[in-house]
Amino acid sequence: MKAMPGRIRIIGGNLRNSRLNVPDLPGLRPTPERVRETLFNWLAPTITGVRALDLCAGTGALGIEALSRGAAAVQFVEPERALAEALRGNLARLRADTAEVALMDATQFLRGTPRAYGLAFLDPPFAAQLWTPLARLMEQGGWLAEGAQVYVESPRDQPLALPPSWVLHREGHAGEVRYALYRRSQNDPLS
């Protein structure tokens, strides 16, 4: 079941049942509650203390859910001013002081100075077809720690060309959406 437009509920952790205000924008596709619940059940053993990157943040629901469940800090990246401002407002209201919002394009952000994250969310707008270039920039640019986990959300029938060091850990489907959790292998299989 999808959340009503304009409001999204955090489903677990210390911010459970908090509502996020979300602007009504065309193409905005928040991750459904059922998918977030599954994802964070997968992440439960490793989420505490992790530094996360919510690339193409949109509503910020994935990153805020991570904060709610024990992530140490989350970097949000969102180029749409209305979404970034709504996200900043939600974070301030929730007193999430270990979160930062960068108002910029994901590609531009990944061309900056890297910081290694233990968890990354890669859920770009489907029409933009950014999975491969953003995955490549994250992998080659030093944005992922050894053993990092990367969540990827894409159309169910979309073939993805992800780095060979990203090993599929778990996956599922919800309607026409494929969601998957990858682990960055300790050693690149091509080296």
Side-chain angles (χ1 to χ4, degrees):
M1 173 184 258
K2 280 192 133 174
M4 295 301 293
R7 304 283 282 181
I8 295 176
R9 182 175 69 99
I10 298 301
I11 54 177
N14 64 351
L15 299 174
R16 182 185 179 130
N17 291 324
S18 296
R19 302 282 177 177
L20 306 180
N21 297 318
V22 179
D24 185 16
L25 296 172
L28 187 61
R29 184 193 38 76
T31 301
E33 283 187 17
R34 184 174 68 93
V35 173
R36 279 187 283 130
E37 183 67 36
T38 300
L39 169 63
F40 283 94
N41 285 340
W42 294 345
L43 291 171
T46 59
I47 192 91
T48 302
V50 75
R51 291 181 63 244
L53 174 62
D54 193 348
L55 208 53
C56 308
T59 66
L62 291 170
I64 293 173
E65 195 78 53
L67 284 171
S68 181
R69 294 171 185 247
V74 177
Q75 172 67 61
F76 296 89
V77 180
E78 176 52 51
E80 175 62 48
R81 181 170 299 282
L83 285 171
E85 287 175 3
L87 181 51
R88 284 184 181 125
N90 285 324
L91 291 167
R93 185 174 45 79
L94 297 172
R95 296 185 184 103
D97 58 359
T98 60
E100 293 181 27
V101 179
L103 175 61
M104 66 175 62
D105 175 90
T107 302
Q108 178 187 7
F109 179 84
L110 293 174
R111 290 197 171 121
T113 304
R115 287 168 262 156
Y117 293 93
L119 173 62
F121 301 106
L122 180 57
D123 180 14
F126 283 8
Q129 300 286 313
L130 291 172
W131 297 277
T132 299
L134 293 178
R136 192 172 295 135
L137 284 170
M138 279 196 297
E139 180 63 29
Q140 295 171 352
W143 292 96
L144 299 172
E146 289 293 330
Q149 296 182 90
V150 182
Y151 171 76
V152 179
E153 194 169 311
S154 61
R156 189 175 189 155
D157 59 354
Q158 175 76 39
L160 299 178
L162 300 175
S165 58
W166 293 15
V167 178
L168 181 63
H169 176 59
R170 298 223 172 143
E171 70 178 320
H173 300 93
E176 296 303 312
V177 174
R178 174 183 182 261
Y179 53 97
L181 185 62
Y182 294 84
R183 284 194 179 154
R184 185 170 183 255
S185 66
Q186 297 293 338
N187 299 307
D188 186 332
L190 298 180
S191 58

